[in-house]
Protein backbone atom coordinates (compact mmCIF):
# COMPACT_ATOMS: atom_id res chain seq x y z
CA UNK A 1 0.00 0.00 0.00
CA UNK A 2 1.41 3.42 -0.97
CA UNK A 3 1.69 6.27 1.50
CA UNK A 4 -1.03 8.84 0.76
CA UNK A 5 0.90 12.09 0.30
CA UNK A 6 -0.72 15.10 -1.29
CA UNK A 7 1.35 16.54 -4.19
CA UNK A 8 1.74 19.87 -2.37
CA UNK A 9 3.14 18.27 0.80
CA UNK A 10 6.86 17.93 1.47
CA UNK A 11 8.09 14.82 3.28
CA UNK A 12 11.82 14.53 3.87
CA UNK A 13 13.39 11.36 2.51
CA UNK A 14 14.98 11.00 5.97
CA UNK A 15 11.58 10.95 7.73
CA UNK A 16 10.05 7.61 8.74
CA UNK A 17 6.45 7.50 7.55
CA UNK A 18 4.30 4.39 7.85
CA UNK A 19 2.79 3.16 4.59
CA UNK A 20 -0.76 3.65 5.91
CA UNK A 21 -0.26 7.30 6.95
CA UNK A 22 -2.04 10.14 5.17
CA UNK A 23 -0.21 13.45 4.61
CA UNK A 24 -2.50 16.26 3.47
CA UNK A 25 -2.02 19.46 1.44
CA UNK A 26 0.89 21.76 2.29
CA UNK A 27 2.14 19.62 5.18
CA UNK A 28 5.84 19.58 6.07
CA UNK A 29 7.45 16.51 7.60
CA UNK A 30 11.10 17.16 8.42
CA UNK A 31 14.15 14.94 8.54
CA UNK A 32 14.11 12.76 11.64
CA UNK A 33 10.34 12.80 12.15
CA UNK A 34 8.47 9.52 12.65
CA UNK A 35 4.83 9.16 11.56
CA UNK A 36 3.07 5.98 12.70
CA UNK A 37 0.43 3.66 11.32
CA UNK A 38 -2.84 5.26 10.16
CA UNK A 39 -1.76 8.73 11.28
CA UNK A 40 -3.64 11.53 9.50
CA UNK A 41 -2.09 14.96 9.02
CA UNK A 42 -4.83 17.17 7.57
CA UNK A 43 -3.38 20.31 5.94
CA UNK A 44 -0.58 22.79 6.72
CA UNK A 45 0.70 20.62 9.57
CA UNK A 46 4.42 20.99 10.30
CA UNK A 47 6.14 18.05 11.98
CA UNK A 48 9.70 18.91 12.96
CA UNK A 49 12.59 16.50 13.32
CA UNK A 50 12.74 14.71 16.64
CA UNK A 51 8.96 14.20 16.71
CA UNK A 52 7.28 10.80 16.84
CA UNK A 53 3.51 10.52 16.25
CA UNK A 54 1.87 7.27 17.38
CA UNK A 55 -0.58 5.11 15.48
CA UNK A 56 -4.12 6.32 14.71
CA UNK A 57 -3.41 9.88 15.83
CA UNK A 58 -5.29 12.59 13.90
CA UNK A 59 -3.73 16.04 13.55
CA UNK A 60 -5.87 18.87 12.18
CA UNK A 61 -5.10 21.95 10.09
CA UNK A 62 -2.25 24.25 11.03
CA UNK A 63 -0.88 22.34 14.02
CA UNK A 64 2.87 22.68 14.65
CA UNK A 65 4.50 19.69 16.30
CA UNK A 66 7.99 19.86 17.74
CA UNK A 67 9.11 23.43 17.15
CA UNK A 68 12.14 24.43 19.26
CA UNK A 69 11.35 25.14 22.92
CA UNK A 70 10.64 28.75 23.83
CA UNK A 71 13.30 28.74 26.54
CA UNK A 72 16.27 31.09 26.58
CA UNK A 73 18.50 28.26 27.85
CA UNK A 74 17.89 26.25 24.68
CA UNK A 75 21.00 26.28 22.49
CA UNK A 76 19.92 24.07 19.59
CA UNK A 77 20.51 20.69 21.25
CA UNK A 78 18.71 17.68 19.72
CA UNK A 79 15.57 17.09 21.80
CA UNK A 80 12.24 15.41 21.13
CA UNK A 81 8.45 15.43 21.27
CA UNK A 82 6.70 12.09 21.73
CA UNK A 83 2.99 11.83 20.89
CA UNK A 84 1.19 8.59 21.71
CA UNK A 85 -1.43 6.52 19.91
CA UNK A 86 -5.09 7.43 19.29
CA UNK A 87 -4.58 11.11 20.08
CA UNK A 88 -6.50 14.01 18.53
CA UNK A 89 -4.75 17.32 18.04
CA UNK A 90 -7.08 19.99 16.72
CA UNK A 91 -6.52 23.13 14.67
CA UNK A 92 -3.51 25.41 15.23
CA UNK A 93 -2.17 23.72 18.35
CA UNK A 94 1.54 24.12 19.12
CA UNK A 95 3.51 21.43 20.93
CA UNK A 96 7.21 22.14 21.57
CA UNK A 97 10.17 19.82 21.97
CA UNK A 98 11.91 19.40 25.31
CA UNK A 99 15.10 20.90 26.71
CA UNK A 100 18.25 19.18 27.91
CA UNK A 101 17.71 20.66 31.36
CA UNK A 102 14.19 19.18 31.51
CA UNK A 103 15.11 15.67 30.40
CA UNK A 104 15.09 16.31 26.66
CA UNK A 105 11.54 15.25 25.78
CA UNK A 106 8.01 16.60 25.85
CA UNK A 107 5.59 13.68 26.24
CA UNK A 108 1.94 13.30 25.27
CA UNK A 109 0.57 9.84 26.10
CA UNK A 110 -2.15 7.80 24.38
CA UNK A 111 -5.78 8.92 23.90
CA UNK A 112 -5.12 12.61 24.59
CA UNK A 113 -7.44 15.25 23.11
CA UNK A 114 -5.90 18.68 22.58
CA UNK A 115 -8.51 21.14 21.33
CA UNK A 116 -7.90 24.08 19.01
CA UNK A 117 -5.34 26.83 19.66
CA UNK A 118 -3.84 25.17 22.73
CA UNK A 119 -0.13 25.24 23.55
CA UNK A 120 1.96 22.57 25.29
CA UNK A 121 5.40 23.89 26.19
CA UNK A 122 8.76 22.19 26.56
CA UNK A 123 9.26 19.23 28.90
CA UNK A 124 5.58 18.77 29.73
CA UNK A 125 4.29 15.32 30.64
CA UNK A 126 0.67 14.85 29.56
CA UNK A 127 -0.63 11.45 30.65
CA UNK A 128 -3.16 9.08 29.08
CA UNK A 129 -6.72 10.21 28.43
CA UNK A 130 -6.20 13.89 29.26
CA UNK A 131 -8.64 16.40 27.70
CA UNK A 132 -7.28 19.90 27.06
CA UNK A 133 -10.03 22.27 25.94
CA UNK A 134 -9.71 25.15 23.47
CA UNK A 135 -7.09 27.81 24.02
CA UNK A 136 -5.30 26.32 27.03
CA UNK A 137 -1.74 27.55 27.56
CA UNK A 138 0.49 25.08 29.41
CA UNK A 139 3.90 26.30 30.57
CA UNK A 140 7.10 24.33 30.62
CA UNK A 141 7.71 21.31 32.88
CA UNK A 142 3.99 20.93 33.68
CA UNK A 143 2.60 17.47 34.45
CA UNK A 144 -1.06 16.57 33.87
CA UNK A 145 -2.18 13.20 35.27
CA UNK A 146 -4.27 10.48 33.67
CA UNK A 147 -7.80 11.42 32.55
CA UNK A 148 -7.60 14.95 33.92
CA UNK A 149 -9.59 17.67 32.15
CA UNK A 150 -8.61 21.30 31.63
CA UNK A 151 -11.38 23.80 30.87
CA UNK A 152 -11.02 26.23 27.97
CA UNK A 153 -8.63 29.19 28.01
CA UNK A 154 -6.95 28.00 31.20
CA UNK A 155 -3.29 28.79 31.79
CA UNK A 156 -0.98 26.59 33.85
CA UNK A 157 2.15 28.21 35.21
CA UNK A 158 5.41 26.38 34.56
CA UNK A 159 6.43 23.51 36.85
CA UNK A 160 2.95 23.04 38.34
CA UNK A 161 0.89 19.89 38.02
CA UNK A 162 -2.71 18.75 37.75
CA UNK A 163 -3.35 15.37 39.34
CA UNK A 164 -4.95 12.33 37.72
CA UNK A 165 -8.76 12.44 37.28
CA UNK A 166 -8.84 16.11 38.30
CA UNK A 167 -10.91 18.87 36.66
CA UNK A 168 -9.86 22.51 36.27
CA UNK A 169 -12.57 24.97 35.29
CA UNK A 170 -12.30 27.25 32.27
CA UNK A 171 -10.50 30.62 32.04
CA UNK A 172 -8.51 30.01 35.25
CA UNK A 173 -4.89 30.63 36.19
CA UNK A 174 -3.29 27.56 37.74
CA UNK A 175 -0.32 28.73 39.80
CA UNK A 176 -0.54 25.94 42.39
CA UNK A 177 -0.79 22.17 42.13
CA UNK A 178 -4.25 20.61 41.76
CA UNK A 179 -4.34 17.27 43.63
CA UNK A 180 -5.75 14.09 42.05
CA UNK A 181 -9.48 13.40 41.76
CA UNK A 182 -10.46 16.95 42.70
CA UNK A 183 -12.14 19.96 41.11
CA UNK A 184 -10.49 23.38 41.07
CA UNK A 185 -11.91 26.73 40.05
CA UNK A 186 -12.02 30.39 41.02
CA UNK A 187 -9.58 33.28 41.19
CA UNK A 188 -7.34 32.59 42.96
CA UNK A 189 -7.67 28.92 42.09
CA UNK A 190 -9.31 26.89 44.89
CA UNK A 191 -10.17 23.33 45.87
CA UNK A 192 -13.78 22.51 44.98
CA UNK A 193 -14.31 18.97 46.27
CA UNK A 194 -13.98 15.57 44.67
CA UNK A 195 -14.40 15.26 40.91
CA UNK A 196 -17.09 12.62 41.27
CA UNK A 197 -18.03 12.80 37.59
CA UNK A 198 -14.61 11.45 36.56
CA UNK A 199 -14.56 8.81 39.29
CA UNK A 200 -17.98 7.49 38.23
CA UNK A 201 -16.72 7.14 34.67
CA UNK A 202 -14.17 4.60 36.00
CA UNK A 203 -16.21 2.51 38.48
CA UNK A 204 -13.84 -0.45 38.34
CA UNK A 205 -10.95 1.73 39.50
CA UNK A 206 -12.98 3.73 42.02
CA UNK A 207 -15.34 1.53 44.01
CA UNK A 208 -17.31 3.20 46.78
CA UNK A 209 -14.78 2.44 49.50
CA UNK A 210 -11.93 4.08 47.54
CA UNK A 211 -14.01 7.18 46.87
CA UNK A 212 -14.82 7.43 50.57
CA UNK A 213 -11.13 7.06 51.44
CA UNK A 214 -10.29 9.91 49.07
CA UNK A 215 -13.02 12.04 50.60
CA UNK A 216 -11.64 11.43 54.11
CA UNK A 217 -8.14 12.29 52.95
CA UNK A 218 -9.22 15.65 51.55
CA UNK A 219 -11.26 16.48 54.62
CA UNK A 220 -8.13 15.88 56.67
CA UNK A 221 -6.01 17.94 54.27
CA UNK A 222 -8.33 20.92 53.89
CA UNK A 223 -10.71 20.93 56.87
CA UNK A 224 -8.89 19.52 59.88
CA UNK A 225 -6.80 22.59 60.68
CA UNK A 226 -3.64 20.49 60.86
CA UNK A 227 -0.46 21.68 59.08
CA UNK A 228 -0.70 20.78 55.41
CA UNK A 229 2.87 19.46 55.37
CA UNK A 230 2.02 16.99 58.15
CA UNK A 231 -1.02 15.62 56.32
CA UNK A 232 0.92 15.41 53.04
CA UNK A 233 3.59 13.26 54.70
CA UNK A 234 0.87 10.87 55.87
CA UNK A 235 -0.67 10.71 52.38
CA UNK A 236 2.71 10.02 50.79
CA UNK A 237 3.20 7.03 53.08
CA UNK A 238 -0.38 5.78 52.81
CA UNK A 239 -1.88 3.11 50.54
CA UNK A 240 -3.35 5.44 47.88
CA UNK A 241 -1.11 5.17 44.79
CA UNK A 242 -2.40 8.42 43.31
CA UNK A 243 -1.06 10.36 46.29
CA UNK A 244 2.27 8.56 46.11
CA UNK A 245 2.58 9.49 42.42
CA UNK A 246 1.49 13.10 42.97
CA UNK A 247 3.62 13.97 45.99
CA UNK A 248 6.90 12.88 44.43
CA UNK A 249 10.04 14.75 43.38
CA UNK A 250 8.05 16.79 40.83
CA UNK A 251 5.79 18.27 43.51
CA UNK A 252 6.68 21.92 44.03
CA UNK A 253 5.30 22.15 47.56
CA UNK A 254 2.17 24.17 46.83
CA UNK A 255 -1.47 23.15 46.64
CA UNK A 256 -4.64 24.93 45.59
CA UNK A 257 -6.23 26.76 48.48
CA UNK A 258 -9.23 25.43 50.43
Amino acid sequence: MLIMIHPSAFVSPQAKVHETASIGPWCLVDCGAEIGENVVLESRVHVYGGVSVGANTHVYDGAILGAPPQDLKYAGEPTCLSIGENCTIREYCTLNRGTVQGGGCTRVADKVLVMAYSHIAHDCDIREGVVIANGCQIGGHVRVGEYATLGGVTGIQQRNQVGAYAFVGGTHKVDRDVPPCTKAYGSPIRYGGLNLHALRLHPDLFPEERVEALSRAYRELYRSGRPVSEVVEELKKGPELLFQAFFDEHWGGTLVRP
Side-chain angles (χ1 to χ4, degrees):
M1 182 176 179
L2 295 177
I3 303 171
M4 295 178 285
I5 301 177
H6 192 274
S8 64
F10 173 78
V11 177
S12 168
Q14 284 75 46
K16 296 181 180 179
V17 182
H18 194 275
E19 61 183 9
T20 60
S22 175
I23 313 297
W26 312 110
C27 289
L28 297 174
V29 180
D30 290 350
C31 172
E34 298 185 16
I35 307 297
E37 182 178 0
N38 295 319
V39 167
V40 176
L41 307 182
E42 290 282 355
S43 63
R44 300 182 301 279
V45 175
H46 190 172
V47 183
Y48 281 75
V51 176
S52 61
V53 183
N56 305 308
T57 287
H58 196 136
V59 185
Y60 284 79
D61 298 34
I64 300 177
L65 308 181
Q70 299 174 98
D71 187 319
L72 294 176
K73 297 188 297 297
Y74 181 68
E77 303 94 342
T79 55
C80 69
L81 164 67
S82 174
I83 299 173
E85 299 182 355
N86 300 295
C87 293
T88 301
I89 299 172
R90 294 302 302 257
E91 296 82 358
Y92 303 102
C93 291
T94 54
L95 285 69
N96 290 167
R97 298 196 309 273
T99 65
V100 171
Q101 295 82 0
C105 193
T106 303
R107 302 182 187 278
V108 177
D110 298 343
K111 303 176 186 176
V112 171
L113 168 58
V114 187
M115 298 188 197
Y117 294 96
S118 292
H119 174 69
I120 298 176
H122 59 87
D123 305 299
C124 285
D125 184 2
I126 311 299
R127 301 290 177 88
E128 180 176 321
V130 167
V131 175
I132 300 171
N134 297 278
C136 288
Q137 305 296 301
I138 302 178
H141 307 276
V142 165
R143 183 169 66 183
V144 183
E146 293 86 349
Y147 296 97
T149 298
L150 307 180
V153 204
T154 284
I156 303 183
Q157 186 171 294
Q158 63 268 24
R159 299 187 184 277
N160 283 304
Q161 65 173 323
V162 175
Y165 304 95
F167 172 80
V168 178
T171 73
H172 295 322
K173 178 180 76 172
V174 180
D175 57 358
R176 292 172 174 256
D177 291 344
V178 178
C181 304
T182 66
K183 297 180 290 185
Y185 47 78
S187 181
I189 194 79
R190 294 185 181 277
Y191 167 74
L194 282 182
N195 185 18
L196 292 174
H197 174 72
L199 305 188
R200 288 166 181 159
L201 290 176
H202 300 86
D204 293 341
L205 287 176
F206 294 98
E208 186 175 339
E209 58 271 20
R210 189 180 186 189
V211 174
E212 179 54 36
L214 288 165
S215 181
R216 287 196 303 271
Y218 285 119
R219 286 198 298 271
E220 194 69 18
L221 182 66
Y222 283 115
R223 309 298 183 199
S224 69
R226 295 171 57 196
V228 169
S229 59
E230 182 180 294
V231 180
V232 166
E233 286 303 312
E234 291 180 4
L235 296 178
K236 288 166 64 174
K237 298 173 184 176
E240 177 53 67
L241 297 178
L242 291 178
F243 290 138
Q244 295 174 22
F246 184 84
F247 294 114
D248 62 3
E249 68 279 355
H250 186 93
W251 183 50
T254 64
L255 288 173
V256 291
R257 302 159 180 82

